[in-house]
Amino acid sequence: MREADDNRSNTAPGHVAIIMDGNGRWAKARGLPRTAGHKKGVDAVRRTVEAARELGIGTLTIFSFSSENWRRPEEEISDLMGLLRFYLRSEVAELHRAGIRLRVIGDRNRLSEDINRLIDNAEGLTRDNRVMTLVVALSYGSRLEIVHAARRLAEEVAAGRLSPGAIDEDALSARLYTADIPDPDLIIRTSGEKRISNFLLWQAAYAELVFVDTLWPDFTKRDLEAAIEEFHRRERRFGATTAGSR
């Protein structure tokens, strides 16, 4: 049993998702504008993508901008969109060289035309890469995602392409933004907050949740490794029971 446990502890989760939180508090603690925290957050994204690749994680999802974030001050949103443009222009070539596929999920109707064009180009360039998939949740809200999937099902039923009796979990899952992405095994939230904030609600049904105190700009490979170590200490039963358990 010990050997089996050791082998398991050396295996990275197939899909790790991260709620990147704490940029604003990081900046405030240093007397800096929130923009400085967001810029440092981009550095943490770069470190974490490289760490995930080195650790053999198959899919890494990062929650970069939520549907609720559109309520933030216009100036802050403008700064965040500027950082997004910078990332898409400066980092995609390196992702491609590293064999990383980029996928963006979320409501892209609210994004500007030039950002959508950059996303299309990045996804097209990296489409066939197989080392790792980096999923960026952008303008993303899980409740809205589920509403969109339900609306698609309703439209297909109304058009006669789908029987109401054929609607099941698989049918709804196939109409989510993440239809081609495995469900997360591990969800990490930084900054000490203990909630998932409308992130991957359907997909996270059996994910392990790990909350860490580190603010996102300070997140390192060691923090990622520690969260994975905690993941391996959990017994995942997926609703079933084992001998001696309740």
Side-chain angles (χ1 to χ4, degrees), residues 46-196:
R46 189 179 296 112
R47 287 195 304 269
T48 304
V49 170
E50 177 61 20
R53 187 185 66 80
E54 291 174 353
L55 292 170
I57 292 169
T59 302
L60 173 69
T61 296
I62 55 174
F63 198 7
S64 64
F65 190 86
S66 74
S67 52
E68 291 79 16
N69 287 158
W70 289 110
R71 303 172 190 162
R72 291 187 177 185
E74 187 175 338
E75 182 178 357
E76 183 176 356
I77 291 173
S78 178
D79 289 338
L80 287 166
M81 293 299 114
L83 284 173
L84 175 61
R85 289 184 180 93
F86 173 79
Y87 187 87
L88 288 169
R89 288 171 179 149
S90 65
E91 301 294 326
V92 171
E94 181 56 36
L95 292 177
H96 187 46
R97 281 193 291 270
I100 298 172
R101 172 192 178 212
L102 178 68
R103 281 274 281 108
V104 175
I105 60 172
D107 181 9
R108 288 172 54 174
N109 291 325
R110 301 191 69 174
L111 300 174
S112 65
E113 183 178 341
D114 70 304
I115 287 178
N116 273 311
R117 191 162 50 246
L118 287 169
I119 292 171
D120 288 339
N121 291 340
E123 289 184 327
L125 176 66
T126 63
R127 181 177 292 116
D128 297 326
N129 293 341
R130 294 292 179 266
V131 172
M132 187 179 82
T133 297
L134 172 63
V135 182
V136 178
L138 178 63
S139 188
Y140 175 84
S142 189
R143 287 182 172 182
L144 183 60
E145 176 187 24
I146 294 169
V147 167
H148 285 171
R151 185 178 298 143
R152 286 184 60 190
L153 288 169
E155 290 170 349
E156 291 176 42
V157 168
R161 297 192 301 270
L162 183 69
S163 165
I167 297 175
D168 57 13
E169 291 184 14
D170 289 339
L172 194 144
S173 293
R175 288 156 180 85
L176 296 174
Y177 301 142
T178 55
D180 62 336
I181 299 166
D183 288 345
D185 301 292
L186 167 64
I187 295 179
I188 303 166
R189 181 171 185 144
T190 61
S191 86
E193 300 290 348
K194 294 179 174 62
R195 58 183 181 274
I196 56 175

Side-chain angles (χ1 to χ4, degrees), residues 18-27 34 37-38 41 44-45 62-64 69 72 188-197 211-219:
I18 304 178
I19 302 171
M20 306 181 297
D21 192 20
N23 290 348
R25 275 168 283 172
W26 185 93
R34 289 177 66 87
H38 295 317
V45 169
I62 55 174
F63 198 7
S64 64
N69 287 158
R72 291 187 177 185
I188 303 166
R189 181 171 185 144
T190 61
S191 86
E193 300 290 348
K194 294 179 174 62
R195 58 183 181 274
I196 56 175
S197 298
F211 302 100
V212 301
D213 292 331
T214 306
L215 298 176
W216 176 247
D218 293 327
F219 194 82

